[in-house]
Amino acid sequence: MATDNALPLEVLLARLATVVGAEHARELPKGARYGALLPSGLARRARPRAVVTPASAEQIQQLVGLVPRLAHEIWWSPDASGHGAQVGDGRRPAVLLDLSRLARIVEVDRHDGCAVLDAGVSHTALHAHLRERDLPFRCETEANGASAVLGTLLEERWSVGPWGEREAFYCGFEAVLPNGTLLRTGMGALAGSDTWARTRYAYGPALDGLCGHGGLGIVTRYGLWLAPRPRQLLPFAARLADDSAVAQAVEALRPLQLTGTVPGTVGIANERAAAALVVAGGGKAEASSGWRLWGALAGHAQRVAAAANALRAALPALRFGDDAEPANDPAWQARLRLLAGEPLFDDLVGERVAALCFTAVAPPTAVDARALLALVGKRLAQVEPRAELRVGARALLLEVTVESTAKTLATRRAALQSAMNALVDAGYGITRATPLLERAVRMRQADDGQRELARRLRAALDPYAPRRAASSGVARRRSS
Amino acid sequence: MSPALVKPRDALPPARVDAHALDAALDEWRTVLGPQWVLSGAAPGLARYHDDFALDDARARAPRAALQPANLKQVQKVLEIARRRGVPLWPLATGRNLGYGGAAARQAGMVMLDLSRMQRVLEINETLGYALVEPGVSHLDLQRELARRGSALTAAPPAAGWGSVLGNLLERGHGHTPRAEQFDNLCGLQLLLADGTVVETGLGARERGKPRALLPWRHGLPAASLFGQANFAVVTRLGIALAPRPAALRAYRVSVAAEDDLRALVERLRPLLLEGVVAPGGAIVSLLLDAALVTTRRRLGGTTGPLDAAARARLAADLGLGAWNYHGAFTGSEDSVAGDAKVLAEALRGLTGARFEFEDVAGSSPGVALHAALARGVASTEAHAMIDWVGAGAHLDLDTSLPLRGDAALAAFRAHQALSEEHGFDYLASFQLGARDLRHRHMLVFARDDGHAGARAAKLYRALAAAAARRGDGVLRTHLDFMDDIAAQYTWNDQAWLRTCESLKDALDPTGLLAPGKSGLWPGRGGRKRD
């Protein structure tokens, strides 16, 4: 077991406290946060032993030097409110860096909507900042406003609507590398530049890729492009009876999205996912079957009208605006708020039950949509998955979430692993997964060349990198 | 750490290559590629590898040899021999990056790895909107292939379409369509590391992977971002996103009369850019850059120095140009385009002297037809005419980025114009709209037949780049001669970016086999060029 020969906890905490102070270095809480609902044996092995909440990039620089010397891995999370923070992969004892104290909204430019944010800024905080100052911009949100904006960005989770492809809106990272270097990517590397959050690619190699899924940088600050509040926002929706109707909708949407007629993403959620949103927001959901399609158009009146006409022609089942769904439908009300950029709730404790999740990526075609749903449906029929498709111009994402209790964790984890393996074997990609699931699938879907590249990048920047190629690429990782 | 040591180009020594090792390597390369694809000694084809627009004697940077492999396997064998014999290589796609060094290497005596024979368009996916191309495919080639197949897709070519699609994207060139940021169109790379390892980024990493060029580089495993403007690997294949032709496209021009109106024009365009009414890729072009398409400095007579304000005003009136001319295009449906035009007209109301005209009205005016074609994704070579402004022309380009603000644009313009005139140059430039910034592209046009003009252009370039850095306007790409200087400008946190790049270089290419000095990145072995 990973912790058997580890440093005594009190010694570990004392050493960590020398950097962040005793009140910010503590044993992992026993509460629901950080995954306490997991079975005790698994939790002990998989959960970080300690959590530290640094207040600055400088403290993080000190920690990346200290923690490996204490024979612990570093896990980090912008806020530790998401699924990923709940479990590690259990190979070595770990310390979790919770960046939620880095919560400063450094700047939101009133003229161009370019923002500079600290890693721990939550959706709720950003939303409130824009509203209180009457800034004419909006930010894509998550249902749980307590989650960090950076977390959803780095996890490449798409929201729904004209600005749904989130990763297209970040601009520049500040990150602590494993060797302790504080790096700014893009124009941040030019001292005194006013374009760090405005010009994504500066001179020479772009190092942004080290920070996201590359897992080689602990992001402390970043630039984000906010969207202007649109002149018009026209929501649309449709009910789709079955997987076949979903596939047809994906096929109908693609040409409109590729031409930019319908920018951003369209969501298609199964009823379980729709209901979960309502329950999570404190409401009561009705049970039904089928799928719900939803999205929005934005812009001036003529552009919105033209796009709506094109959508009507492609998908006659669509309804718009006030006719889209019954006004008293709680699931629709929740989605309208999300489309407007409003979080539904604000809960730092996070999910009351452990959740396992992954995101698969496929071409946005009917054939692939049908194949994705069949591969997943067959393997997860017994575990009540929440499934949401995000349809973009060049990709189709399938987000799957399965709730788990301590009793059901093993079987549900196996079911998800089986579904992910089947997707990978069929040629689809997995872009995100709960850490319990991630390592195996990452190894399964990368080839020798990519693994070798990952090993060398890590060797270049991480003085504590494992030397064996087979162990490379995931020794330290980010979670959110 | 002390600041980077800036060495003028002519201080760089020739590449250190053991003569016996090179001879032995050449023999092996001839066996692998065939003797006709290995150029050395007095081979006439070797003269092609130079900078067409060299700032001094192009011969001073002559290579020792050039290798022309035809496929990935041959490139792997070439690298294996180079590695074993200790001979560094300078990879080239087509060598048409004019204004930035063309087909030359940083140092004399280099062996050029010319990939222009790898010129297959491997796939065009009409359904998902992408192409897979080899390094030697130019924008004109791709355009011809799209036309041959009757494709509905278009690329976003730069003003001159003869360059490599792959090279232009990796060097972070800009197009003129709404997908103008070429690097954002990157959908997967095939890379060859110096040790021979082949790496497919993104979904290409799996044999059974669905379309390789499915996702932009930012999504999923992110290694691709490292290889732009870099010397970490040889890139042997590119996936690039293409866009379908829109149902409606109307190109237009907005011109303003006074130079100071640049500030107001940027301020009026900014909210429309954020809103999507005007698209990234449109460019605010200076009077003389548009005028240079149809006339020359000599034809205008007078003194040989820069045109004064009165002469510029006369020229503007004669050609129907403004002091600044914004070339853009609305795309979408007929209805949405009509709505966009209405919104832009409303935004320009009250801007004295502003003219907003569609191409059917302004089409004969300089630059309008060219920009309309580029907005449609049509590659051409017409833009090249502007370099003849001062006779047998050449150009040296300075690309900087600045905030999308009128005052920032005006300050940059004023500074560049003053320095240009001080050095005896006219100011020919444009401000291209990025997603959230302005790209100031200043073309230093000089006469190739004037023996000192290149050196004067270099002097002006250094002055402009230094002033830009003081304003916080970062250089986005640069000519071979200035790569160390520009890398040295990125000084935040004791040059953390440069130090990290050097660590990556040492990890991926420890012996410095590939393009030593590219972007200011030198291999560690044998000592870096900076302390």
Side-chain angles (χ1 to χ4, degrees):
Chain A
M1 199 169 289
T3 54
D4 285 351
N5 300 314
L7 203 63
L9 183 63
E10 58 277 14
V11 177
L12 174 68
L13 293 176
R15 296 294 299 274
L16 296 170
T18 60
V19 177
V20 293
E23 69 275 34
H24 298 296
R26 59 196 191 285
E27 188 179 2
L28 203 64
K30 299 291 185 194
R33 199 176 182 191
Y34 307 128
L37 287 179
L38 295 175
S40 57
L42 177 66
R44 187 179 163 210
R45 188 171 68 244
R47 294 166 63 214
R49 296 182 73 209
V51 57
V52 293
T53 46
S56 66
E58 291 73 20
Q59 288 188 351
I60 296 171
Q61 287 178 283
Q62 293 174 48
L63 288 166
V64 300
L66 173 66
V67 175
R69 291 203 304 274
L70 301 177
H72 281 64
E73 297 281 352
I74 288 180
W75 289 64
W76 69 277
S77 166
D79 62 351
S81 71
H83 303 313
Q86 295 175 345
V87 284
D89 66 9
R91 287 178 302 152
R92 292 180 67 193
V95 171
L96 174 65
L97 269 60
D98 174 347
L99 307 190
S100 56
R101 286 176 72 210
L102 298 176
R104 188 170 156 229
I105 295 172
V106 180
E107 178 193 2
V108 177
D109 187 288
R110 176 173 288 278
H111 302 292
D112 63 15
C114 294
V116 177
L117 307 175
D118 274 357
V121 170
S122 70
H123 289 98
T124 296
L126 182 56
H127 184 68
H129 183 94
L130 298 176
R131 196 180 48 210
E132 285 158 13
R133 289 159 181 79
D134 194 26
L135 294 167
F137 300 101
R138 48 162 287 150
C139 178
E140 295 306 287
T141 189
E142 285 292 297
N144 182 0
S147 61
V149 178
L150 179 66
T152 46
L153 182 75
L154 292 182
E155 290 290 332
E156 298 167 343
R157 298 192 65 192
W158 285 358
S159 61
V160 172
W163 309 279
E165 296 180 31
R166 283 193 174 102
E167 72 277 1
F169 294 92
Y170 89 88
C171 187
F173 291 124
E174 176 185 278
V176 177
L177 301 180
N179 60 13
T181 299
L182 185 65
L183 173 75
R184 281 191 178 174
T185 68
M187 276 300 168
L190 183 71
S193 173
D194 206 11
T195 54
W196 180 32
R198 294 175 174 86
T199 301
R200 181 176 284 139
Y201 310 118
Y203 177 72
L207 303 184
D208 305 77
L210 300 173
C211 305
H213 271 195
L216 282 169
I218 299 175
V219 178
T220 52
R221 186 169 282 188
Y222 61 105
L224 184 71
W225 295 342
L226 303 177
R229 278 202 301 255
R231 297 178 196 225
Q232 273 196 15
L233 186 76
L234 180 66
F236 57 82
R239 303 278 180 126
L240 305 172
D242 51 28
D243 292 2
S244 179
V246 171
Q248 285 171 26
V250 170
E251 190 70 19
L253 286 167
R254 188 187 59 251
L256 298 178
Q257 294 184 293
L258 263 182
T259 55
T261 307
V262 178
T265 61
V266 174
I268 305 177
N270 70 3
E271 286 289 350
R272 199 173 289 110
L277 208 55
V278 177
V279 173
K284 197 171 177 182
E286 59 179 274
S288 58
S289 62
W291 295 80
R292 290 183 175 215
L293 180 150
W294 58 300
L297 301 168
H300 60 70
Q302 278 173 279
R303 185 161 283 276
V304 168
N309 286 338
L311 267 174
R312 270 191 203 98
L315 276 168
L318 276 187
R319 298 289 179 267
F320 292 85
D322 293 342
D323 299 329
E325 290 278 2
N328 59 357
D329 175 3
W332 181 238
Q333 291 303 319
R335 275 165 169 69
L336 285 177
R337 286 179 59 192
L338 291 176
L339 287 171
E342 290 176 30
L344 300 184
F345 58 98
D346 188 74
D347 184 358
L348 258 181
V349 173
E351 306 231 356
R352 300 291 176 184
V353 291
L356 302 169
C357 57
F358 70 82
T359 302
V361 59
T365 71
V367 170
D368 292 291
R370 208 171 278 123
L372 274 188
L373 296 179
L375 286 166
V376 169
K378 190 175 166 187
R379 287 161 182 81
L380 300 184
Q382 304 305 313
V383 296
E384 303 175 321
R386 304 199 305 251
E388 295 201 53
L389 290 163
R390 297 283 187 260
V391 191
R394 295 176 188 276
L396 174 67
L397 303 189
L398 171 62
E399 286 193 0
V400 174
T401 306
V402 171
E403 289 180 355
S404 171
T405 62
K407 193 175 169 188
T408 61
L409 180 71
T411 54
R412 295 194 164 205
R413 176 186 175 186
L416 263 78
Q417 194 74 63
S418 160
M420 291 165 63
N421 290 345
L423 288 165
V424 170
D425 291 346
Y428 298 110
I430 303 294
T431 62
R432 161 181 171 261
T434 302
L436 266 180
L437 305 166
E438 186 184 31
R439 184 163 175 261
V441 78
R442 190 179 277 219
M443 299 303 273
R444 194 181 187 102
Q445 70 176 347
D447 70 355
D448 290 343
Q450 209 165 63
R451 277 194 285 269
E452 176 63 14
L453 177 61
R455 187 189 68 79
R456 289 195 186 194
L457 294 177
R458 180 163 295 281
L461 303 176
D462 186 349
Y464 305 98
R467 299 206 172 175
R468 289 177 297 116
S471 300
S472 67
V474 289
R476 295 186 195 184
R477 64 171 308 280
R478 165 184 50 78
S479 55
S480 71
Chain B
M1 186 175 294
S2 61
L5 185 63
V6 177
K7 286 177 181 282
R9 205 265 326 147
D10 58 5
L12 284 180
R16 282 180 292 184
V17 180
D18 179 272
H20 296 297
L22 178 61
D23 287 343
L26 286 168
D27 284 343
E28 289 194 67
W29 283 325
R30 287 188 191 101
T31 304
V32 167
L33 302 179
Q36 70 273 38
W37 306 118
V38 178
L39 310 178
S40 63
L46 201 54
R48 164 179 132 59
Y49 300 96
H50 71 280
D51 181 2
D52 283 310
F53 300 159
L55 301 172
D56 50 14
D57 185 356
R59 291 169 299 181
R61 208 181 340 230
R64 283 204 174 90
L67 315 172
Q68 299 173 334
N71 53 50
L72 174 64
K73 276 193 175 169
Q74 287 192 347
V75 182
Q76 282 179 295
K77 286 179 180 165
V78 164
L79 249 67
E80 188 274 319
I81 294 163
R83 198 166 52 243
R84 191 158 33 76
R85 299 287 182 184
V87 181
L89 303 170
W90 188 275
L92 279 181
T94 60
R96 302 292 289 170
N97 199 16
L98 302 181
Y100 299 95
R106 286 209 60 187
Q107 291 168 283
M110 189 59 68
V111 175
M112 312 302 287
L113 177 58
D114 177 356
L115 305 177
S116 61
R117 285 178 68 215
M118 298 173 68
Q119 55 186 157
R120 291 179 299 166
V121 177
L122 298 164
E123 182 187 355
I124 292 175
N125 190 313
E126 209 67 33
T127 305
L128 299 172
Y130 70 80
L132 281 179
V133 297
E134 291 187 328
V137 175
S138 72
H139 269 285
L140 289 168
D141 295 335
L142 179 58
Q143 186 172 296
R144 277 191 287 271
E145 183 61 18
L146 290 166
R148 190 185 69 76
R149 298 185 187 199
S151 172
L153 301 172
T154 60
W162 49 38
S164 161
V165 175
L166 179 147
N168 183 252
L169 184 144
L170 290 180
E171 291 302 313
R172 301 208 199 92
H174 295 116
H176 297 264
T177 72
R179 298 188 64 84
E181 183 74 84
Q182 297 282 23
F183 208 67
D184 280 346
N185 295 325
L186 197 170
C187 294
L189 297 174
Q190 183 186 69
L191 309 162
L192 187 57
L193 300 185
D195 70 351
T197 302
V198 178
V199 180
E200 302 266 7
T201 68
L203 291 182
R206 290 167 303 132
E207 285 180 11
R208 291 184 301 274
K210 292 291 175 183
R212 292 173 186 279
L214 185 62
L215 291 168
W217 73 263
R218 294 187 304 274
H219 210 91
L221 296 170
S225 73
L226 300 172
F227 296 92
Q229 290 188 10
N231 56 3
F232 301 147
V234 181
V235 183
T236 49
R237 192 179 62 212
L238 165 76
I240 182 169
L242 304 176
R245 272 194 296 273
L249 184 149
R250 290 197 78 187
Y252 61 89
R253 182 187 66 183
V254 176
S255 56
V256 291
E259 289 174 343
D260 283 358
D261 287 343
L262 175 63
R263 183 206 312 255
L265 181 59
V266 170
E267 290 296 306
R268 308 271 175 135
L269 290 174
R270 185 184 55 239
L272 305 190
L273 177 76
L274 300 185
E275 193 182 352
V277 173
V278 302
I284 303 170
V285 180
S286 74
L287 164 70
L288 296 187
L289 190 58
D290 263 351
L293 287 168
V294 294
T295 189
T296 65
R297 177 66 187 83
R298 285 175 187 169
R299 232 183 277 168
L300 297 174
T303 62
T304 54
L307 284 179
D308 61 23
R312 293 199 297 267
R314 281 196 302 276
L315 181 63
D318 290 348
L319 296 177
L321 288 167
W324 296 101
N325 304 278
Y326 171 62
H327 298 277
F330 301 125
T331 59
S333 66
E334 292 291 349
D335 285 349
S336 69
V337 163
D340 289 343
K342 202 170 139 189
V343 171
L344 176 57
E346 182 67 29
L348 294 170
R349 188 172 294 168
L351 181 54
T352 309
R355 281 184 300 161
F356 171 26
E357 299 161 311
F358 283 106
E359 59 179 316
D360 48 353
V361 175
S364 61
S365 196
V368 174
L370 169 66
H371 284 274
L374 290 170
R376 290 183 169 86
V378 178
S380 80
T381 55
E382 188 191 330
H384 201 56
M386 62 184 66
I387 69 167
D388 291 332
W389 175 248
V390 285
H395 63 103
L396 169 66
D397 295 348
L398 178 62
D399 288 11
T400 51
S401 83
L402 51 148
L404 190 51
R405 289 199 305 261
D407 56 356
L410 193 60
F413 156 61
R414 287 292 181 214
H416 280 236
Q417 187 182 50
L419 276 170
S420 297
E421 293 182 353
E422 197 179 296
H423 287 74
F425 285 79
D426 282 312
Y427 171 80
L428 283 73
S430 65
F431 290 91
Q432 189 175 34
L433 272 58
R436 300 279 171 139
D437 63 0
L438 284 172
R439 313 292 171 85
H440 187 191
R441 186 177 190 198
H442 185 167
M443 292 181 75
L444 281 63
V445 176
F446 62 95
R448 271 189 282 185
D449 48 6
D450 175 347
H452 302 291
R456 285 194 296 117
K459 191 176 172 193
L460 170 58
Y461 187 99
R462 289 180 196 279
L464 289 169
R470 285 194 295 273
R471 287 193 307 276
D473 300 348
V475 175
L476 297 164
R477 54 178 175 159
T478 192
H479 185 278
L480 295 169
D481 282 7
F482 308 102
M483 286 180 165
D484 293 343
D485 306 55
I486 300 305
Q489 288 186 344
Y490 285 78
T491 58
W492 188 82
N493 193 22
D494 195 16
Q495 297 186 301
W497 167 79
L498 187 55
R499 285 186 285 119
T500 302
C501 287
E502 287 171 346
S503 296
L504 298 178
K505 176 69 177 171
D506 289 346
L508 297 174
D509 180 17
T511 60
L513 196 67
L514 302 175
K518 163 90 175 162
S519 294
L521 303 180
W522 295 94
R525 191 160 147 171
R528 295 196 193 284
K529 299 296 175 187
R530 69 186 187 91
D531 294 313

